Amino acid sequence: MRGGVNFRAAAAVVLMLAGSSAHAQEVLLIQPDTFEFGVIGGALDELDLEYTFAVSRDQILGALRSQSWDLIIVRGRSVGVIETLVLDELEPHVASGGLLHVQLSDLENASARQYRLLGLRDAIDLELPLSELGAPSPAHPSVPGIGFLSLWDQTYPPDYGDALVPSEDSYFTQWYADTRLPATVISMNGNVLVN
């Protein structure tokens, strides 16, 4: 999914779901491209969360292997960032109760293994015109404000994100208003948030 989720609210709810104090977290931000760094960095700063930033493949793998992380955030344009070597590190992180927030725009290209990690069965590529977001009532804490948020954004062609198909043990917190297809999914007992 592209846009629409208030990152500050989403990060806070991931921490809340784990019953964690935001000030005592080890946070790793994996962002291999220039995908709005200021937005996510600003949100983490506003939450008073210190974080380690990893961009290159070597930095990402080095950081994943150097220590345990409470929260790992993966944000970028390509699902390729969750390649096999990174999956080898992310799977045990989630299995041991670590938190994961993934925001990627081309989830329709994910592998079956990547879908399992994210609590998805599939993803459907979005096309223009983009829809607005809706949420069930009462809204999940990761859903900002009341009502719909516009997803219109001309800065990210050619991939505008995806509608998500949750797996059996996952649930959605937001949908696209026109199709009612899920836009944000929570899985792995609340430890994984995907949008």
Side-chain angles (χ1 to χ4, degrees):
M1 182 213 127
R2 166 83 60 205
V5 166
N6 176 315
F7 182 79
R8 181 181 177 279
V13 81
V14 171
L15 293 169
M16 178 192 72
L17 289 171
S20 302
S21 164
H23 299 288
Q25 298 301 305
E26 295 290 336
V27 179
L28 174 62
L29 169 57
I30 297 172
Q31 192 165 325
D33 51 39
T34 57
F35 184 75
E36 295 178 347
F37 173 75
V39 171
I40 197 167
L44 291 169
D45 291 340
E46 189 176 330
L47 287 167
D48 198 23
L49 289 172
E50 293 184 19
Y51 58 93
T52 299
F53 183 56
V55 178
S56 71
R57 183 175 177 273
D58 288 342
Q59 286 176 336
I60 292 167
L61 289 173
L64 286 170
R65 293 172 177 164
S66 69
Q67 69 180 71
S68 294
W69 300 94
D70 298 306
L71 171 61
I72 297 175
I73 302 165
V74 179
R75 193 161 192 259
R77 299 184 198 288
S78 171
V79 74
V81 69
I82 309 179
E83 61 178 292
T84 302
L85 287 174
V86 174
L87 267 173
D88 289 343
E89 304 297 328
L90 291 178
E91 287 169 335
H93 167 76
V94 171
S96 68
L99 305 175
L100 179 63
H101 179 181
V102 174
Q103 186 177 48
L104 297 168
S105 61
D106 70 340
L107 288 170
E108 79 278 4
N109 295 317
S111 68
R113 186 175 171 198
Q114 291 167 334
Y115 282 147
R116 276 192 303 278
L117 172 70
L118 302 177
L120 301 175
R121 283 185 297 149
D122 200 359
I124 303 162
D125 199 29
L126 296 177
E127 297 179 4
L128 294 178
L130 297 179
S131 175
E132 292 182 331
L133 291 178
S137 182
H140 188 271
S142 66
V143 178
I146 298 172
F148 296 110
L149 298 172
S150 175
L151 283 178
W152 180 258
D153 194 336
Q154 296 182 17
T155 62
Y156 297 109
D159 198 322
Y160 293 94
D162 306 283
L164 306 176
V165 181
S167 64
E168 222 174 84
D169 298 328
S170 303
Y171 61 95
F172 66 91
T173 62
Q174 289 182 287
W175 62 61
Y176 295 102
D178 57 349
T179 62
R180 299 287 235 200
L181 291 171
T184 303
V185 169
I186 294 182
S187 64
M188 304 303 173
N189 298 314
N191 286 356
V192 177
L193 177 75
V194 181
N195 60 287

